[in-house]
Amino acid sequence: MINNSAIFRKSAEFLGAICGGLLITLPAIPQALAQQSTPRVNPCPSIFYEEPHNSRVVVPQGCPPNALTQRLAAQGLLPVPATPSPEQARLGVGGEEPPVPPQPGAVPPAPVPPTQGQVPPVPVQSRQAPSARIALANGRVNVRLVNDTAAKITYQVIGDTAPRSLAGKSDVTLQGLSAPVTVTFEREDGGQLTVTPQPSSEAGNLEVTFNEATDATQGRSAMRIEPSGSVFLN
């Protein structure tokens, strides 16, 4: 009788130890599953390649270039787009997984024509004469944008700010921009802009005035300030 009681007691202790170990382990399982299911943030979301962002927003370094990035790079206003990182290449544009290679004998899909309104890359041309020259202050410049039109203007300091709006008959000052720097701008009503850069008598200050253009050939959409102080319009 004594031996049976001892055996029963040891069996109960053994089962208790097993159940206790399971209770300690189980809470960690959902946490591990939650960590594995946490999605990674895609650095190249598909919205960069959809209108209006496709023709208004420059994509981050390493992302496949959209229409605006290609155009500015071709004009020499941006560095040549860098090769996507392995992580960006794996995620793809918009976070989709890379396409599966076609099976042998499969018929490839027909090529998709360019979207209407998309701006094709512009061949690199010879360097134009600067529209103005300014004296930088320790390599930096303050740019005052003056909108003399009645339309709202969207502008962006490439690599520094997101697209911002400037109401008609108003102005804004961008302070401490480090050259080289590129600023893009366009009228939200689709009209053309003439751009007049005017250096200040004080070093490191530039005033840029926007007016309505009556001739499409006068329209400008980007300004580049070089470390030498040369100001180019495109």
Side-chain angles (χ1 to χ4, degrees):
M1 180 65 67
I2 296 175
N3 292 336
N4 290 338
S5 298
I7 293 174
F8 178 78
R9 184 172 61 255
K10 291 183 178 179
S11 299
E13 292 175 352
F14 179 71
L15 290 174
I18 293 177
C19 293
L22 289 175
L23 292 175
I24 294 175
T25 305
L26 286 175
I29 294 176
Q31 182 178 0
L33 292 176
Q35 292 176 351
Q36 293 178 358
S37 62
T38 301
R40 295 185 179 181
V41 177
N42 178 40
C44 309
S46 59
I47 193 173
F48 285 156
Y49 307 91
E50 301 171 356
E51 296 298 340
H53 297 79
N54 183 50
S55 57
R56 292 185 179 181
V57 180
V58 174
V59 300
Q61 284 290 335
C63 290
N66 61 5
L68 178 61
T69 307
Q70 291 178 356
R71 186 182 68 183
L72 295 179
Q75 294 175 349
L77 299 176
L78 288 177
V80 177
T83 303
S85 66
E87 179 67 12
Q88 291 170 329
R90 189 192 71 78
L91 287 174
V93 174
E96 300 87 355
E97 293 293 334
V100 178
Q103 298 295 327
V107 179
V112 179
T115 304
Q116 184 176 4
Q118 182 173 350
V119 181
V122 180
V124 178
Q125 300 178 352
S126 59
R127 176 65 72 178
Q128 67 187 51
S131 299
R133 295 183 184 274
I134 64 172
L136 301 180
N138 297 321
R140 295 183 177 275
V141 59
N142 300 323
V143 179
R144 180 170 178 253
L145 303 179
V146 181
N147 183 5
D148 273 352
T149 74
K152 186 181 295 183
I153 292 177
T154 298
Y155 67 94
Q156 180 183 11
V157 181
I158 302 304
D160 191 0
T161 70
R164 298 176 177 176
S165 294
L166 179 62
K169 305 300 180 180
S170 65
D171 62 85
V172 65
T173 300
L174 309 174
Q175 297 184 342
L177 301 182
S178 182
V181 61
T182 299
V183 183
T184 62
F185 32 78
E186 66 174 344
R187 282 172 53 178
E188 291 192 353
D189 61 3
Q192 299 292 326
L193 288 171
T194 61
V195 184
T196 306
Q198 182 63 45
S200 170
S201 58
E202 184 178 355
N205 288 275
L206 177 69
E207 182 173 297
V208 180
T209 304
F210 301 112
N211 285 285
E212 297 179 359
T214 56
D215 186 350
T217 60
Q218 298 175 342
R220 297 293 182 264
S221 60
M223 177 182 68
R224 173 80 169 181
I225 303 176
E226 297 288 351
S228 63
S230 297
V231 180
F232 296 94
L233 298 176
N234 282 279

